[in-house]
Amino acid sequence: MTDGTAWRRAAQLLRHQRIETPSWAYGNSGTRFKVFAQAGIPRNPFEKIDDAAKVHELTGIAPSIALHIPWDRVEDFGALAGYAKDQGIALGAINPNVFQDDDYRLGSVCNPDPDVRSKATDHLLECVEIGRLVGSRVLSVWLADGTNYAGQDDIRARQDRLHASLREVHDRMPSEMRLLLEYKFFEPHFYTMDVPDWGTSFAQCLRIGEHAQVLVDTGHHAPGTNIEFIVAVLLREGRLGGFHFNSRNYADDDLMAGAADPFGLFRILHEIAGAGGLDPGAGIEFMLDQCHNLEPKVPAMIRSVLNVQEATAKALLVDRAALAEAQAGGDVLGAHEVLMDAFNTDVRPLLAGLREDLGLDPDPLAAYQRSGYQQRIERERVGGSQMGWGA
Ligand code: PSV
Ligand code: MN
């Protein structure tokens, strides 16, 4: 049961929610076994922007697209930003890529070879410059660095190298930019990853400087990890920079956010909402990082944005006064029930109403099907080469 006042308060915050979509999710993707090509896939970063703009047009809450460099490299980044603006969106986080070059076999900024470290650091600095050119305030760093065998390299020396590089980058960023350091517990290395977990990222961020924060990719944890606990601690420390939302069944599956475990997504958003992290200006980046291997990309992205929005709406409907009372009284079952009441609320009609208030179609997926956009891109995007993960 939802009382009108609670919903009105929730709706205020939901109007301001912003979810960034990743450029790479619009390209072809697959597994190491097969990439299935789809019709209508973008052939350049401009067409990726068109797709992201469509997602924003229909959802109203996805007004930016993250770039991955060099996958999204163009001659003139100012022109790319101008093009995005004309389509109604902005360019968001800049994701450097220091994992797809032969030089990075033994790592990028943690590589034992100082020349390779310089090359990687230069690329990070180039991404800072691209960010400055396009008006982005986020440098989102994920490193594939690590080792495969005990004794392969010195673990502490690698942490020192990591610090030296990221400190240099941090200190050369414009003051309004933040460096988000993403962690991942495995892959592509299996003995050590240099940033395997939130603790390592947090410790590095503390030493790097005040504009360094942790990025939580929901797919980058061992099964059973309590992600909302990590979120709560980072929020408390003021070092939660943002998210890469996606779903996983096993590991870094990168399925649609909210598909495999909507309750897990809700629990994360409950922690964020409780700490004021949904307030405008809270500075937490809500980004998606996923690939659509079987399903059509644009509607899958719309679905994912809506899934995050639904989880957020439910989190905002938690009766916090009742929860606090139950918690203070040691009422275990009562407290849990307050949370489950919110989770079990069907927020879809409420969100449809919110969209109507904003002048949007109440059902973005149906609107997409009616729009003819899919047919148009399949018709028009012929010739040239389709973009894909890693290109
Ligand atoms: C790595 O698995 C990751 O989550 C990082 O965010 C990358 O930049 C992204 O996926 C794209 O491959
Ligand atoms: Mn990620």
Side-chain angles (χ1 to χ4, degrees):
M1 195 185 57
T2 314
D3 85 70
T5 322
W7 175 248
R8 272 192 296 282
R9 258 201 318 267
Q12 278 307 327
L13 292 170
L14 287 163
R15 280 168 190 268
H16 297 289
Q17 189 173 31
R18 299 284 172 259
I19 299 164
E20 182 162 301
T21 70
S23 70
W24 52 99
Y26 298 105
N28 279 324
S29 60
T31 66
R32 63 200 169 86
F33 299 102
K34 172 72 181 164
V35 170
F36 295 104
Q38 293 187 14
I41 293 303
R43 295 159 300 171
N44 53 56
F46 294 89
E47 291 180 348
K48 290 177 175 177
I49 288 174
D50 293 340
D51 289 356
K54 194 71 193 170
V55 174
H56 177 52
E57 179 195 317
L58 294 169
T59 61
I61 54 167
S64 62
I65 177 172
L67 300 184
H68 221 297
I69 310 295
W71 302 341
D72 297 316
R73 194 190 290 290
V74 290
E75 286 281 301
D76 182 346
F77 278 101
L80 191 70
Y83 182 79
K85 189 163 179 238
D86 291 344
Q87 311 316 308
I89 62 171
L91 302 182
I94 308 295
N95 291 250
N97 182 324
V98 282
F99 51 85
Q100 282 190 312
D101 197 301
D102 282 341
D103 280 343
Y104 298 139
R105 194 170 60 94
L106 299 179
S108 62
V109 298
C110 302
N111 197 297
D113 181 340
D115 291 342
V116 177
R117 295 206 293 278
S118 295
K119 171 177 164 167
T121 306
D122 285 348
H123 177 62
L124 299 182
L125 289 169
E126 181 199 1
C127 288
V128 169
E129 179 56 18
I130 293 170
R132 209 183 49 73
L133 281 173
V134 304
S136 168
R137 292 166 168 235
V138 175
L139 181 75
S140 190
V141 178
W142 174 71
L143 303 167
D145 292 42
T147 63
N148 273 355
Y149 295 100
Q152 180 186 320
D153 199 358
D154 183 314
I155 293 173
R156 281 177 298 121
R158 291 181 74 92
Q159 288 296 311
D160 292 343
R161 298 171 200 149
L162 177 63
H163 171 77
S165 169
L166 295 189
R167 177 68 187 256
E168 180 182 346
V169 173
H170 174 274
D171 290 353
R172 289 171 62 178
M173 292 187 318
S175 57
E176 67 280 4
M177 195 176 274
R178 280 179 300 150
L179 186 161
L180 307 190
L181 183 57
E182 179 175 355
Y183 57 90
K184 181 172 178 178
F185 76 117
F186 82 112
E187 195 194 44
H189 292 97
F190 299 97
Y191 173 62
T192 57
M193 286 295 282
D194 289 304
V195 190
D197 51 29
W198 73 273
T200 310
S201 176
F202 179 59
Q204 282 285 347
C205 287
L206 284 183
R207 285 204 198 187
I208 291 167
E210 57 172 331
H211 298 295
Q213 293 181 310
V214 180
L215 185 144
V216 177
D217 181 315
T218 50
H220 290 184
H221 304 86
T225 302
N226 184 329
I227 301 176
E228 62 269 27
F229 178 83
I230 297 170
V231 168
V233 172
L234 290 173
L235 279 163
R236 190 166 172 274
E237 300 295 337
R239 291 283 176 158
L240 179 66
F243 289 91
H244 275 177
F245 286 123
N246 51 54
S247 275
R248 63 191 286 284
N249 288 302
Y250 297 99
D252 196 21
D253 318 346
D254 280 353
L255 302 175
M256 295 189 299
D261 184 9
F263 186 45
L265 186 56
F266 161 79
R267 297 193 313 263
I268 290 171
L269 282 152
H270 168 63
E271 290 306 325
I272 301 170
L278 292 169
D279 298 347
I284 296 169
E285 307 294 327
F286 295 91
M287 300 177 277
L288 298 173
D289 176 11
Q290 47 191 47
C291 295
H292 307 290
N293 300 348
L294 309 176
E295 62 277 22
K297 324 277 176 185
V298 179
M301 198 54 83
I302 294 172
R303 174 76 273 156
S304 309
V305 169
L306 300 183
N307 285 353
V308 177
Q309 187 184 39
E310 284 172 20
T312 308
K314 291 177 182 207
L316 287 168
L317 287 179
V318 171
D319 184 340
R320 289 189 181 269
L323 183 63
E325 196 184 324
Q327 288 173 344
D331 180 1
V332 176
L333 288 179
H336 183 60
E337 197 174 312
V338 171
L339 218 61
M340 296 313 291
D341 270 350
F343 178 64
N344 288 321
T345 306
D346 185 359
V347 293
R348 291 172 301 177
L350 298 167
L351 288 170
L354 178 73
R355 279 181 211 112
E356 281 181 316
D357 286 352
L358 296 171
L360 299 169
D361 192 291
D363 184 345
L365 277 166
Y368 180 73
Q369 301 306 348
R370 280 197 314 271
S371 71
Y373 186 80
Q374 188 68 37
Q375 292 77 356
R376 182 160 73 74
I377 58 177
E378 289 185 16
R379 206 171 48 240
E380 291 177 358
R381 293 178 184 170
V382 288
S385 33
Q386 298 185 318
M387 299 203 76
W389 191 96

